[in-house]
Amino acid sequence: MVGGVIQEREEGTPQGGPLSPLLSNIMLDDLDKELERRGHRFCRYADDCNIYVRSKAAGERVMESITRFLEKRLRLKVNREKSAVDRPWRRDFLGYTMTSHRQPKLKVSPDSIQRIRGKIRELMRKARGCSLKKVIGELVPLLRGWINYFRLSSVKIAFEELDGWIRRRLRWVIWRHWKKPATRAKKLIQRGMEKETAYTSAYNGRGAWWNSGASHMNMAFPAKWFAQQGLISLLSQHQRFQNLSRTAVCRTARTVV
């Protein structure tokens, strides 16, 4: 209210703060109770909610009735552009999606992968001209936080592909740092490459991105070398989380027995 007069607000509380999920739970408590009363299977976090039904027709019917409940009973506005009736593996929830198997598995959604790629590109763009050690130092906290969030994923291919793509981006940085073909040939020789192969690779006339994925850069800077520089592997971190989870399950089973 401004000056005692009610005015409509177009913006809510800032995202990422502790107040937003708290207010969402207060406002949407009636929604949770309504869904439970109807016997629906659902999952809600703040204002993001998935309701699981058996058919498309049932989904459209529930979508319409719940939208009506939210707008008329709770006086809330439903974002119809982001709302949809679809298969679970075509939608994402809190950055996750699932496989289409009979026993579905959690995996990282394609949108989440694109977002982390964008953040990595931006980080490397800002770090242009910096040493590789500094680039890796800034990259590691971002990767560690990301893999910790997606530790529940059961599908490893996203982490494997991202590992390869990140190493290629770093090889791209190295190739650009070298600048001149003569410097590139010299550096490749220092990395153990034969002189003739090094000069052929250095003077191939291709761009930095092509060379970052070529065999000569993969041989000069293998995954093991990046690990020695402090770069973490998303796949290795994921496997560690999986092992910890299995160990916890085994301990719980022994306790129950």
Side-chain angles (χ1 to χ4, degrees):
M1 297 181 68
V2 180
V5 180
I6 296 176
Q7 295 189 1
E8 184 177 357
R9 291 181 64 96
E10 296 295 332
E11 296 181 355
T13 56
Q15 287 187 335
L19 186 59
S20 294
L22 174 61
L23 291 179
S24 296
N25 286 336
I26 293 172
M27 292 295 296
L28 296 174
D29 183 61
D30 287 342
L31 172 64
D32 295 343
K33 291 177 179 176
E34 178 66 15
L35 292 172
E36 290 172 355
R37 186 185 67 80
R38 297 185 186 189
H40 289 310
R41 294 183 178 181
F42 70 96
C43 186
R44 182 181 68 79
Y45 180 82
D47 63 341
D48 198 356
C49 183
N50 281 2
I51 305 171
Y52 302 99
V53 294
R54 293 183 179 275
S55 67
K56 183 179 180 181
E60 291 173 347
R61 185 173 61 253
V62 170
M63 169 77 79
E64 184 62 31
S65 64
I66 291 300
T67 299
R68 190 164 54 249
F69 175 85
L70 287 167
E71 293 182 341
K72 295 190 179 299
R73 176 78 175 274
L74 302 185
R75 298 176 184 246
L76 298 172
K77 189 181 295 184
V78 175
N79 189 330
R80 296 178 183 269
E81 292 182 0
K82 292 184 178 180
S83 303
V85 177
D86 209 343
R87 298 288 191 182
W89 52 87
R90 293 177 185 161
R91 305 292 293 176
D92 67 282
F93 183 65
L94 303 178
Y96 283 89
T97 186
M98 60 182 69
T99 64
S100 58
H101 301 112
R102 182 176 291 274
Q103 294 293 329
K105 297 180 179 180
L106 280 178
K107 68 175 186 177
V108 184
S109 73
D111 287 344
S112 298
I113 294 171
Q114 290 305 313
R115 280 194 292 272
I116 189 63
R117 283 183 179 231
K119 289 181 180 179
I120 293 170
R121 287 192 191 97
E122 181 65 16
L123 185 151
M124 291 189 178
R125 185 187 67 79
K126 290 181 178 179
R128 189 172 295 175
C130 298
S131 66
L132 187 72
K133 185 176 182 179
K134 184 176 180 181
V135 174
I136 292 176
E138 294 181 358
L139 187 60
V140 166
L142 174 65
L143 297 178
R144 198 179 298 280
W146 191 82
I147 189 62
N148 281 339
Y149 181 81
F150 288 105
R151 64 190 301 167
L152 298 178
S153 174
S154 300
V155 181
K156 67 178 184 179
I157 187 168
F159 309 118
E160 195 171 9
E161 291 177 350
L162 271 173
D163 274 342
W165 180 81
I166 291 167
R167 289 194 293 269
R168 183 171 180 178
R169 294 290 304 185
L170 291 172
R171 293 186 188 105
W172 173 81
V173 171
I174 295 170
W175 189 262
R176 287 177 63 89
H177 279 177
W178 289 345
K179 294 182 180 179
K180 295 181 180 180
T183 303
R184 291 166 181 166
K186 178 181 176 181
K187 294 293 185 180
L188 288 173
I189 292 171
Q190 290 176 356
R191 294 296 305 160
M193 189 171 292
E194 294 183 0
K195 185 175 181 180
E196 183 178 351
T197 305
Y199 273 90
T200 301
S201 301
Y203 285 87
N204 60 36
R206 301 272 191 167
W209 183 246
W210 185 90
N211 278 282
S212 67
S215 59
H216 53 272
M217 286 298 283
N218 279 273
M219 290 170 57
F221 300 97
K224 183 179 179 180
W225 184 86
F226 286 108
Q228 292 170 349
Q229 308 309 306
L231 181 68
I232 65 170
S233 165
L234 296 174
L235 180 61
S236 297
Q237 292 293 309
H238 173 258
Q239 291 172 340
R240 184 173 68 85
F241 289 141
Q242 294 290 303
N243 291 335
L244 288 174
S245 178
R246 282 192 287 267
T247 302
V249 170
C250 291
R251 286 176 179 171
T252 302
R254 285 197 293 269
T255 302
V256 171
V257 172

